[in-house]
Structures are given as C-alpha cells and as structure tokens.
Amino acid sequence: MSLAQTSIRKILIANRGEIALRILRACRELGIATVAVYSDADRAALHVLEADEAYRLGPAPATESYLRGDLILDVAERSGAQAIHPGYGFLSENASFAEACEGAAIKFIGPPGSAMRALGSKTRARQAADAAGMPRTPGSVQGLASLDEAYAVAEGIGYPVMLKAAAGGGGKGMRAVSSRNDLSVAFSAAVSEAERAFGSGEVYLEKLIERPRHIEIQILADEHGNCVSLGERECSVQRRHQKVIEEAPSAVVDEDLRRRMGEAAVRLARSAGYTNAGTVEFLVDDDRNFYFLEMNTRLQVEHPVTELVTGLDLVHLQIRIAQGEPLPFRQEGISLRGHAMECRVYAEDPENGFFPSPGKITRLLQPGGPGIREDSGIYEGWVVPLEYDPMLSKLIAYAPTREAAIARLLRALDEYVIGGIRSNLGLFRRILSDADFQAARIDTGYLDRMLVESGSHVEASEDSNAAALIAAALFEGMRPANGGGANGSRSNASEAQPDASGWKNAARREGLRA
C-alpha cells in the first residue's frame, strides 16, 4: 500500500487468547469490524465469541492452523479484511508473511518485511546496531562457522561468554560459558537446541555481562519519517530468560539515561526503515552503561505498562499508522507519569518445577478496583489446552509510585482466584513481598537466586515428569473436541517455527528421559 492515507474498515486478527481480545477491543473502539481465526482447540475461545466474524483454520497444532499464512490470507480475502494484525508470537515476526500480505494488497499491521529481515535475526541486528553507532556487547556479528571460531572469539573478548541462537529467543539455544573447558559441550548443546526450537542451528557468541538489568525501549514510527521513543520498561525479573514481571519506568533509569537509550533506539529503527511499533532491548550494567541486545519487531506482551505511564493506546496507534496517518505527537510531547507493573499469569505449578497444569477452570474470581487492569482470555468452564503457551492473563497495576503499584498489585492478587488448575499467582505474592524486589535490587538472575535461596524451587523429578506426561496424555484423550483455549503463543522465530509448542515438547522430552 502507498503512504497515502487509507481507511481500514475490517481487520483480521491472526492470533488468539488475550492479545486477540486486546486487538479486538481496540478495533471496536475505532469502529472497525473484526475477523477472528481459530484452530479446533479454540472453537469456544473468547476471541472467537467476541469477534464479528470467525473462521476455522484447521487442527489444533499451530503448524496446521495459526502458522499457516496461506490459510490466514485466504480467510482475509474471503472475509474482505483490508488488514491483518498479527499480535505477538506465531507469524508476527515472519518477514515472508508480511511480504505475502503486501503481495495480496492486504495491509500488515507491523513493520515491512525488509525491516524484519534487517533486525529479526540477532546477528543481522548486531550488524545493524554497529551501522547505527549503537553500543553493544563485544562478540561476533555473524553466526559461528565452527567450534574453532567460537574458541577464537571467546579468547578475543575474554570469559565469561554467552552463546545465543541467532533465530529466536525465550532462552532457547542460550548457554553461559565460564571457561575454555566448558565451551565445546556448551557449543554443541546450543546449536542442537537452536536447531530444534527454531529450525536453524546458527549461534553467535558475546561477552557475558554479569548481573545486568534487562531494560527495553518502546518505539513507534509512522510512514512519514517520524519516529519516537516512549520510555523504558524494566524486564529484569526473569526465570531462565523468560520475563515474569515487567514495570515502567525503571527504578535505575534517570532522564539522561532514558534520553540516550531512546535516541539510540530511534537511530536503529530509522536506519532499518522501520515503521509501526517495535521494542529495542538493552542490558544495563552496574555503572549504567547500556548495551544493545536485540530488537523485537512487533507489539510486546508487556505493552500495557507503557500505555499506562504514557496515556497512549499502542494498538490504536498501530492501526492509525497502518492507515497512513502521521504520529499525532513529537518526542517532546511524551512524558511519563506514575508507575505500572505487570504479572504474567500462567497455568503452571511453581512448587513442582513449574510443570504445566492443563485442565478445566472450575472457579474464576477476577480482580478489579482502582488502578487494576487485566488482559485475559479465560473464563470459568474453559479447558486450558496443551497445544499452546500456558499464559492465562496479564495482571497490571497502575499507581502514582512504585511502592503504591506494588501494594495495589498485591491487593489484586489476593482477589484473584483460579480454581481447578495450578497457577503462578502465589509466586507473584512472594516476589512482590521480597525485600530485594521492593528495594528494586534486581537483575536478570534475581528470581532464580530467590527461588534457590528460599528452598522452594524444586525441579520436577524423573518420576514426577513421567507422571505428568501420563496425566497430560490422559487429559488429551478426555478433552472435548471443541474445548476452548485462549492463551497466547510464545513463539518468537522470524522465519522457522517449531512443530509444536515448547510447552508440549518439554513434557515429551522430560517423559522420554524418565
């Protein structure tokens, strides 16, 4: 589509769960008709029930439904949708799908395929960061061709180092290496895991920044050359490189650091011809030096905390940008007010090695009151499926200060009841009550240390893994054919996608070990 302003009257939402509902609500507020797509596992999901139209894609596996770009484009053409919003996960960072939408004269609500190709792969993104003059961690900017090359790069930058998969995220294909003696085994393991998870065994190596904070900058760019940063989000509370709690603003970022990180993020986006919403991620050390990590070329799971502190609706703005409208503000018009904090609520059991907890939700009491927002795709009677990521909802609190936001979130957690399955609600109560968290003494290793020190972080044993696999198989056999499912995908590969969800594959692997 040209830069000329167009009117989008109908949008196909190429996703599921809470993010599909989030986009659907934004469309309804803008007077835009919505088209939902669903797999057989999602026939009774909330996004299907709420949309103006809904079309079946195929069987439950994502490779036969939500990852089938050809089927989604066929539905878009049959339904008369002028645009497709991919949400996050699934096809949201698939450059080929974005280009296929353009070829079909359907607007992809996201960046162009060329920008995805430049920034979606971590090695190409590091090359782009160099071209844009951004600080980054020392290390390779291309995939490692061999173990010998890995040895050479590691010797050049010094140990400890980190091996990372070039094609994806979520901690897959990542290995910390403290000495030369450990590199050979770590290299083989990282390549193998990356190949299984993303269909690409390409890995690269960078200097390990010890105990960093993970801080990201939200950017927006229109199709008229305007690009702004919307402040930072602190995402340091992680379990095995998966974000658990996010907040905005960060307790350690002052106005000067925010400005410098924002300018670097905008510079990178401009250099790649980026448009629409995106996030540039950084590591920040104890001396407040920041290093480019990667760019997520899509809407982030944690976008609500930015919306609350800026007063902006990012999905509204995504759609307006896709219509060819210029941004209605400039950088100097953006200010941050108050503090927002988000918990990712999952169907998993933290007391049993975070094992997944599929099953029927028999009781649901959702929190409310001043300053509380819940982005959810669940309802009482819904059966949590096995096929997708086990996210149930996102619980967000907003208050004038960080301390007040924590208190408000604790109050909301006390009101939240999910019966019939296990969830991680109790884990959030522990984190929010922890003295180090309350004092903002956090880094990317904080949560794993807290769990070990508390003595409650027990990994699933071989016996429990086998039992869980058997239970999962029995559950799958008993689950109704039209069972609902509305949680979002965690897939983050730009091109290659795994054959099944990481959740399901993990259970299979653990069962085979047993």
Side-chain angles (χ1 to χ4, degrees), residues 28-168:
R28 188 156 291 162
E29 290 168 0
L30 294 173
I32 297 172
T34 54
V35 178
V37 291
Y38 62 91
S39 70
D40 289 342
D42 279 340
R43 189 177 297 275
L46 280 180
H47 75 284
V48 176
L49 302 176
E50 292 289 341
D52 296 307
E53 303 173 40
Y55 294 78
R56 176 184 180 272
L57 289 174
T63 51
E64 299 178 51
S65 53
Y66 296 106
L67 292 174
R68 286 285 302 274
D70 57 332
L71 297 180
I72 291 170
L73 281 172
D74 178 65
V75 171
E77 292 173 358
R78 285 191 286 134
S79 65
Q82 290 93 28
I84 292 176
H85 197 307
Y88 53 74
F90 293 137
L91 296 171
S92 63
E93 293 181 282
N94 189 303
S96 296
F97 180 67
E99 290 162 351
C101 290
E102 183 179 356
I106 296 171
K107 185 68 176 182
F108 180 82
I109 301 178
S114 58
M116 283 191 197
R117 293 188 190 281
L119 300 170
S121 161
K122 292 183 180 181
T123 48
R124 288 195 294 271
R126 284 167 69 82
Q127 295 167 30
D130 285 351
M134 293 180 69
R136 63 163 176 82
T137 50
S140 55
V141 294
Q142 295 180 336
L144 298 169
S146 65
L147 177 60
D148 287 340
E149 184 179 354
Y151 279 127
V153 173
E155 293 297 331
I157 62 177
Y159 292 94
V161 297
M162 178 73 83
L163 286 162
K164 290 185 176 180

Side-chain angles (χ1 to χ4, degrees), residues 13 104 146 154 267 333 341 360:
I13 303 167
S146 65
R267 200 160 59 242
M341 194 170 289
K360 184 177 182 179

Side-chain angles (χ1 to χ4, degrees), residues 401-414:
T401 65
R402 186 175 189 269
E403 294 75 15
I406 291 172
R408 187 162 276 175
L409 197 49
L410 278 167
R411 184 265 298 168
L413 286 164
D414 286 341

Side-chain angles (χ1 to χ4, degrees), residues 198-387:
F198 309 117
S200 169
E202 182 185 4
V203 298
Y204 67 99
L205 190 150
E206 67 182 11
K207 180 70 176 176
L208 176 65
I209 307 298
E210 299 188 86
R211 294 202 173 190
R213 299 179 86 112
H214 184 142
I215 296 176
E216 60 191 27
I217 298 289
Q218 176 72 57
I219 64 105
L220 278 177
D222 64 25
E223 297 177 349
H224 302 272
N226 304 309
C227 185
V228 298
S229 66
L230 303 181
E232 81 281 358
R233 294 185 290 256
E234 170 99 41
C235 305
S236 297
V237 180
Q238 303 176 6
R239 177 181 172 269
R240 295 184 174 180
H241 310 292
Q242 289 285 352
K243 300 169 187 175
V244 176
I245 293 178
E246 300 100 346
E247 57 184 303
S250 167
V252 299
V253 174
D254 58 21
E255 287 295 336
D256 178 65
L257 181 56
R258 180 175 298 120
R259 176 188 57 78
R260 290 188 289 118
M261 292 177 73
E263 289 174 352
V266 167
R267 200 160 59 242
L268 178 67
R270 288 186 188 278
S271 70
Y274 196 92
T275 60
N276 216 274
T279 298
V280 182
E281 303 199 351
F282 297 93
L283 296 179
V284 178
D285 66 19
D286 287 339
D287 297 321
R288 298 192 183 184
N289 299 308
F290 64 92
Y291 307 90
F292 171 73
L293 180 63
E294 64 182 353
M295 182 166 186
N296 288 301
T297 56
R298 54 174 167 80
L299 189 70
Q300 290 279 88
V301 175
E302 57 269 26
H303 75 273
V305 296
T306 295
E307 293 185 321
L308 290 171
V309 297
T310 61
L312 300 172
D313 189 308
L314 295 188
V315 180
H316 279 199
L317 289 164
Q318 281 193 293
I319 294 170
R320 294 189 183 281
I321 289 170
Q323 291 187 143
E325 298 179 30
L327 288 173
F329 45 76
R330 294 291 182 268
Q331 189 66 59
E332 57 272 16
I334 297 165
S335 60
L336 308 183
R337 291 167 293 180
H339 200 94
M341 194 170 289
E342 173 183 294
C343 296
R344 298 189 185 194
V345 182
Y346 283 95
E348 62 186 14
D349 185 0
E351 300 302 322
N352 186 29
F354 290 84
F355 216 80
S357 180
K360 184 177 182 179
I361 295 177
T362 58
R363 181 70 165 160
L364 182 61
L365 299 176
Q366 293 169 290
I372 294 300
R373 167 176 166 178
E374 187 192 15
D375 285 14
S376 170
I378 66 177
Y379 59 87
E380 196 168 293
W382 172 55
V383 178
V384 179
L386 285 169
E387 289 83 6

